Amino acid sequence: MRTTPATAVPPDALARRFSAVRALSTALVAPLSDADATLQSMDDASPAKWHLAHTTWFFETFVLRDHVPGYRLFDARWPFLFNSYYEAEGQRHARPRRGMLSRPALDEVQAYRAAVDAAICDALPTLSSDALALIELGCQHEQQHQELLLTDILHHFSVNPLEPAMWPGAAKVPVAMPGPIGWIEGRIGEVSVGIDAADGFAFDCEGPRHTALLHLHTLADRTITNGEWAAFIADGGYAEPRHWLSDGWAWVQANRIAAPLYWAEIDGVWTRFGLDGRRPIDPAAPVTHVSFFEADAYASWAGARLPTEFEWEAAAAGADPLGGNQLDAAGPVEPRPSAGGPAWFGDVWEWTGSAYRPYPGFRTAEGAVGEYNGKFMSGQFVLRGGSCATPRGHVRASYRNFFYPHQRWQFTGVRLAKDL
Ligand SMILES: [Fe+2]
């Protein structure tokens, strides 16, 4: 794992960052009861309580246990519960059964968080540079889980017929439909992609920096809207096999897919379920909760294709990764209509047509943290740009998210590309 050189982040600045990241997780679960925080609606989605405890386990294991002499585990039984997938850390509770963990209770998990937070803050001034780098990694890891916590609780609530709102939102102000897609000519020839160790924090899968060859192409200046997606549905997009990859068509048939996840047609009006409850779709807002299969089918229907991850990265390289609609604080999150101009970051993760595979020269790090990314490089596709649920400051142009092609409970959307 490559992280910011520890000397680049003074311990007091790292302590403030650590506290801020930890506080946001606590704020995100404030509306949840213990019962809410224990729900697990599907194997892919974890209980909120588990996210709170697992991110704490990460700091306790890789920083306190491994770098603080004499540290005693908060509860020696809990690593079995809260290890996610680290084989090097031994046996663990089965992922699909995380929702069975009514104990420890939410307040016990909060006490675990408080104890580990205090131990980290006590130890921080004396920690080695390796341990400080692991704290930064733990913060980045917790930010990833903050997004998952939100998308998971949305799924948990979606299977309750009452469809509870995590945060009842304010009334929406109608926004004018964005104009037709503008097309941006992409960079061609040899371009430098990926990130190097000296560039600051990056996950290992973002490097090494290397050269990619881009051919003549254009990229859409915005993502596809709900209104445009409704037109795809009305045109029979989900009923016409020629738009679909074979695996995608099989998925549509087997699961009777006819609209994005959380959409429902009520009295002739398309609605969607979000963290603010069920509302009519905003035709001007970016479509979200679509799978790679759906994104690819839409692009085919529209006479286009998905961008490659390097076409996207080359185009977004000069854009501000702190811009756009991203997560700043606890409260309703949803994609918003574009304010105009090309926007590369926030709102929805954008499916690319690129397989999630190692870059030339990629090496898995030694030890348990080497399991962070590399072992997942099979059968998944890359998404770029972050979403409305991504903590601001977490993504950058080289950032590679990845999911299986049928998955759609994240805030995932579509940007089109075309060959010239
Ligand atoms: Fe994790």
Side-chain angles (χ1 to χ4, degrees):
M1 184 60 51
R2 198 153 21 80
T3 64
T4 308
T7 50
V9 183
D12 57 338
L14 188 57
R16 286 195 299 275
R17 169 165 166 70
F18 171 77
S19 297
V21 169
R22 299 286 282 170
L24 178 57
S25 298
T26 303
L28 291 176
V29 300
L32 303 181
S33 68
D34 195 330
D36 294 334
T38 306
L39 289 171
Q40 183 176 28
S41 51
M42 64 171 173
D43 293 358
D44 286 339
S46 296
K49 194 166 69 181
W50 187 89
H51 286 295
L52 294 177
H54 162 70
T55 48
T56 305
W57 165 84
F58 192 97
F59 286 111
E60 184 183 52
T61 301
F62 298 124
V63 180
L64 297 176
R65 184 199 67 184
D66 290 354
H67 292 273
V68 177
Y71 177 78
R72 291 187 59 182
L73 296 180
F74 182 82
D75 188 317
R77 302 168 301 171
W78 288 13
F80 180 82
L81 303 181
F82 302 126
N83 173 10
S84 51
Y85 53 68
Y86 293 86
E87 300 288 348
E89 290 297 323
Q91 296 288 311
R92 60 207 163 275
H93 185 60
R95 181 176 182 174
R97 299 183 66 78
R98 290 174 184 166
M100 296 294 102
L101 300 176
S102 61
R103 312 292 176 89
L106 180 57
D107 60 358
E108 293 177 275
V109 169
Q110 298 286 25
Y112 178 38
R113 289 180 67 84
V116 167
D117 287 356
I120 291 277
C121 290
D122 284 349
L124 211 144
T126 62
L127 288 175
S128 66
S129 59
D130 284 353
L132 294 177
L134 285 163
I135 292 178
E136 176 59 31
L137 176 62
C139 290
Q140 300 280 343
H141 170 251
E142 183 142 351
Q143 289 183 311
Q144 293 181 313
H145 277 276
Q146 288 166 348
E147 178 155 14
L148 291 169
L149 190 156
L150 292 176
T151 53
D152 289 357
I153 198 70
L154 176 59
H155 194 271
H156 305 325
F157 280 174
S158 77
V159 301
N160 181 338
L162 297 179
E163 293 193 324
M166 173 95 162
W167 292 294
K172 297 290 188 295
V173 178
V175 176
M177 282 291 290
I181 288 172
W183 294 92
I184 304 165
E185 201 160 318
R187 290 178 58 191
I188 58 171
E190 292 187 346
V191 298
S192 186
V193 294
I195 202 162
D196 277 330
D199 296 339
F201 181 89
F203 287 109
D204 52 1
C205 62
E206 296 171 60
R209 193 195 300 280
H210 63 286
T211 301
L213 180 62
L214 302 184
H215 300 279
L216 275 173
H217 67 281
T218 57
L219 294 163
D221 65 353
R222 61 168 174 79
T223 55
I224 297 302
T225 64
N226 288 319
E228 289 165 333
W229 201 273
F232 170 64
I233 295 173
D235 195 45
Y238 282 92
E240 177 52 68
R242 70 191 166 91
H243 303 316
W244 294 80
L245 294 166
S246 177
D247 287 348
W249 184 244
W251 172 78
V252 163
Q253 299 289 101
N255 298 284
R256 300 184 181 184
I257 305 292
L261 184 64
Y262 305 135
W263 280 36
E265 196 172 20
I266 300 174
D267 297 331
V269 176
W270 279 115
T271 66
R272 101 298 182 255
F273 180 61
L275 289 165
D276 57 352
R278 182 163 293 284
R279 295 169 179 272
I281 61 164
D282 180 346
V287 71
T288 189
H289 301 303
V290 293
S291 67
F292 171 85
F293 292 140
E294 290 167 287
D296 187 86
Y298 183 95
S300 171
W301 172 79
R305 61 170 172 79
L306 299 178
T308 71
E309 64 169 318
F310 299 140
E311 289 169 347
W312 191 99
E313 183 172 330
D320 179 9
L322 297 174
N325 175 22
Q326 302 184 51
L327 180 68
D328 292 306
V333 296
E334 66 170 322
R336 293 194 208 111
S338 168
W344 297 95
F345 293 99
D347 281 318
V348 291
W349 286 101
E350 300 174 20
W351 285 107
T352 74
S354 298
Y356 180 55
R357 292 288 296 146
Y359 289 168
F362 174 81
R363 292 284 179 274
T364 301
E366 292 293 321
V369 294
E371 296 185 49
Y372 204 106
N373 283 310
K375 73 180 187 180
F376 298 108
M377 291 176 170
S378 168
Q380 309 202 55
F381 284 84
V382 173
L383 302 98
R384 295 297 194 119
S387 83
C388 54
T390 307
R392 194 180 305 280
H394 183 66
V395 290
R396 58 206 148 259
S398 61
Y399 196 102
R400 307 171 82 197
N401 200 354
F402 51 94
F403 281 96
Y404 291 100
H406 67 280
Q407 291 176 319
R408 57 183 194 159
W409 90 107
Q410 301 301 302
F411 287 96
T412 46
V414 187
R415 182 188 301 271
L416 299 180
K418 288 182 178 177
D419 296 316
L420 283 178

